[in-house]
């Protein structure tokens, strides 16, 4: 008898499950039955699909660490029952959620695929159908020995599966909404689905998945720019309970070489704050030894974010800060690839 894969479809909200209000003309969340009605193809799957719905569905702009914890609990509670998980999610914060889950689900041995759409599932030109159908197929895919073909958190959109903690939303309008600029696609789906297994994580299938449910969001993001003001930066650094700063710099990790900025950052790191240097560029990596401006940041105790996305750096800090009170330990792990999130 052939084994039938089981997939849990988790609907959080987002454009894919929305309907246009005839009175106001705006998109509003609809119930899950609306989505299933518009994708009758799901009944053709040789996969058992169960569903779980956020009630009420949320706009992804309202996503939060608490809801990431809820998602981690849903997956952990049902982990042994299913071969894979598909999360329907709004596009605006999808990369943050994918990154957060990649850290919260340690030694993940099953697929957790996030997807959604740019047009609601009920519209004629929707991209939601293909995204949903292929995501389920990927989540159900297993090797002959029963092990998952994609044992990690990914984002599937427009024919590509991307590593979740490497992905950024690149367009508000195009169907090709996401890209992982510093890491190649895990899967390219055309007429056939090409699994690039050499690019995927290799968990220890003999050990259990270990979920983590605590996050510490005492951090902030700020971007440097020509004319950045000392009083405002110092005000940010002096914020009570602030433990970390994700600093978005120019090019390969450069910032204005003004003495006050180096002093302020040096004071912050000496006080135990973690300052991580992330490039404002979509692709490329931080190399603080390339130019003198970057070297000055390194001398102030700022650590390199390498080729990390902002979304990944933020959620990795939340995860690490919740696990470790010592800033030196947080900085050590920020400089290591723990879920395939950076190239060191």
């Amino acid at each position: 008898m052939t084994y039938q894969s089981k997939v849990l479809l988790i609907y959080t909200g987002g454009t894919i499950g929305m309907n246009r209000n005839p009175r106001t003309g705006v998109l509003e969340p609809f119930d899950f039955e609306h989505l299933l009605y518009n994708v009758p193809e799901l009944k053709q799957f040789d996969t058992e699909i169960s569903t779980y719905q956020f009630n009420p569905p949320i706009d992804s702009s309202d996503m939060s660490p608490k809801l990431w914890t809820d998602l981690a609990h849903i997956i952990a509670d049902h982990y042994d029952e299913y071969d894979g998980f598909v999360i329907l999610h709004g596009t605006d914060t999808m990369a943050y959620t994918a990154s957060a889950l990649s850290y919260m689900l340690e030694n993940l041995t099953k697929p957790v695929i996030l997807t959604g759409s740019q047009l609601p599932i009920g519209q004629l030109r929707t991209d939601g159908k293909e995204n949903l159908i292929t995501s389920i197929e990927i989540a159900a895919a297993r090797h002959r020995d029963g092990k998952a073909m994609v044992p990690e958190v990914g984002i599937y959109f427009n024919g590509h599966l991307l590593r979740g903690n490497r992905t950024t939303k690149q367009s508000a309008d195009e169907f090709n909404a996401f890209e992982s600029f510093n890491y190649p696609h895990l899967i390219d789906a055309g007429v056939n689905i090409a699994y690039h297994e050499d690019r995927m994580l290799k968990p220890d299938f003999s050990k259990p998945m270990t979920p983590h449910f605590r996050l510490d969001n005492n951090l902030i993001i700020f971007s440097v720019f020509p004319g950045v003001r000392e009083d405002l930066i110092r005000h940010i650094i002096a914020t009570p309970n602030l433990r970390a700063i994700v600093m978005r710099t120019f090019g390969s990790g450069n910032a204005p070489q003004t003495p006050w900025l180096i002093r302020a950052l040096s004071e912050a790191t000496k006080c135990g704050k973690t300052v991580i240097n992330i490039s404002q560029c979509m692709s490329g990596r931080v190399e603080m030894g390339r130019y003198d401006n970057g070297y000055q940041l390194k001398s102030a105790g700022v650590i390199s974010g390498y080729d990390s996305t902002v979304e990944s750096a933020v959620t990795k800090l939340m995860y690490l800060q919740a696990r470790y009170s010592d800033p030196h330990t947080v900085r050590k792990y920020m400089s290591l690839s723990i879920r395939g999130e950076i190239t060191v």
Side-chain angles (χ1 to χ4, degrees):
M1 180 175 164
T2 305
Y3 176 83
Q4 186 180 39
S5 295
K6 298 173 69 176
V7 170
L8 181 61
L9 187 57
I10 304 167
Y11 176 54
T12 68
T15 299
I16 193 168
M18 288 188 171
N19 201 25
R20 195 170 296 280
N21 184 310
R23 183 178 61 83
T24 64
V26 301
L27 292 174
E28 299 175 339
F30 214 72
D31 62 42
F32 202 77
E33 292 303 316
H34 166 75
L35 188 143
L36 296 179
Y37 172 79
N38 281 280
V39 194
E41 293 89 344
L42 293 180
K43 296 175 183 176
Q44 299 177 31
F45 265 104
D46 186 25
T47 300
E48 183 181 326
I49 303 170
S50 301
T51 59
Y52 186 102
Q53 178 175 337
F54 273 30
N55 189 21
I58 64 159
D59 186 294
S60 72
S61 298
D62 293 321
M63 188 52 71
S64 67
K66 179 192 178 301
L67 293 175
W68 292 335
T69 298
D70 290 345
L71 278 170
H73 273 293
I74 293 166
I75 293 167
D77 290 347
H78 298 281
Y79 196 73
D80 294 333
E81 301 169 44
Y82 295 95
D83 299 291
F85 303 84
V86 173
I87 301 172
L88 299 180
H89 194 292
T91 58
D92 286 348
T93 58
M94 188 183 290
Y96 282 98
T97 297
S99 295
L101 290 176
S102 77
Y103 299 118
M104 299 172 80
L105 304 173
E106 183 180 354
N107 196 50
L108 183 66
T109 57
K110 298 180 179 181
V112 175
I113 311 299
L114 286 86
T115 194
S117 66
Q118 295 286 62
L119 288 174
I121 201 81
Q123 290 194 13
L124 189 61
R125 291 184 56 247
T126 185
D127 55 326
K129 276 192 178 184
E130 193 277 325
N131 287 346
L132 174 57
I133 289 168
T134 306
S135 292
I136 292 172
E137 187 166 347
I138 292 169
R142 295 175 300 117
H143 292 287
R144 290 179 181 272
D145 62 3
K147 293 176 182 175
M149 294 188 70
V150 186
E152 60 177 285
V153 179
I155 289 178
Y156 181 80
F157 237 84
N158 197 48
H160 307 295
L161 182 72
L162 316 170
R163 176 165 293 164
N165 58 33
R166 290 279 196 158
T167 304
T168 294
K169 185 176 181 182
Q170 68 169 353
S171 176
D173 302 313
E174 296 177 6
F175 287 155
N176 189 28
F178 291 92
E179 187 54 86
S180 55
F181 291 96
N182 291 318
Y183 198 77
H185 302 162
L186 302 180
I187 289 174
D188 291 300
V191 174
N192 298 306
I193 299 179
Y195 291 81
H196 306 297
E197 295 182 51
D198 58 315
R199 302 170 184 173
M200 295 180 195
L201 294 177
K202 305 293 188 292
D204 187 340
F205 285 93
S206 69
K207 294 182 179 179
M209 186 275 288
T210 304
H212 301 274
F213 303 118
R214 292 177 56 242
L215 296 168
D216 180 343
N217 62 347
N218 285 301
L219 57 94
I220 198 165
I221 305 168
F222 78 76
S223 295
V224 298
F225 57 91
V228 62
R229 284 178 46 171
E230 177 179 4
D231 56 334
L232 298 181
I233 295 301
R234 287 194 174 276
H235 183 73
I236 290 170
I237 291 173
T239 302
N241 302 318
L242 182 69
R243 293 184 62 189
I245 297 167
V246 176
M247 184 171 66
R248 301 185 67 235
T249 57
F250 307 131
S252 57
N254 303 308
Q257 204 170 357
T258 51
W260 68 260
L261 179 60
I262 303 302
R263 281 198 303 269
L265 293 171
S266 181
E267 291 164 12
T269 58
K270 286 176 181 176
C271 290
K273 293 179 174 63
T274 299
V275 183
I276 183 164
N277 187 354
I278 301 291
S279 176
Q280 293 177 22
C281 300
M282 297 289 271
S283 65
R285 58 189 283 118
V286 165
E287 296 181 55
M288 290 193 288
R290 182 182 293 184
Y291 298 102
D292 187 50
N293 293 41
Y295 182 80
Q296 295 292 328
L297 296 177
K298 187 176 182 180
S299 66
V302 176
I303 61 173
S304 174
Y306 298 95
D307 55 354
S308 174
T309 64
V310 170
E311 297 92 335
S312 181
V314 165
T315 52
K316 185 177 179 181
L317 280 167
M318 289 185 186
Y319 163 73
L320 292 174
Q321 289 181 165
R323 293 196 68 185
Y324 307 106
S325 57
D326 175 28
H328 296 291
T329 305
V330 172
R331 291 170 191 168
K332 180 184 79 170
Y333 283 112
M334 286 302 294
S335 297
L336 299 174
S337 178
I338 62 173
R339 303 286 192 272
E341 71 280 2
I342 54 175
T343 306
V344 179

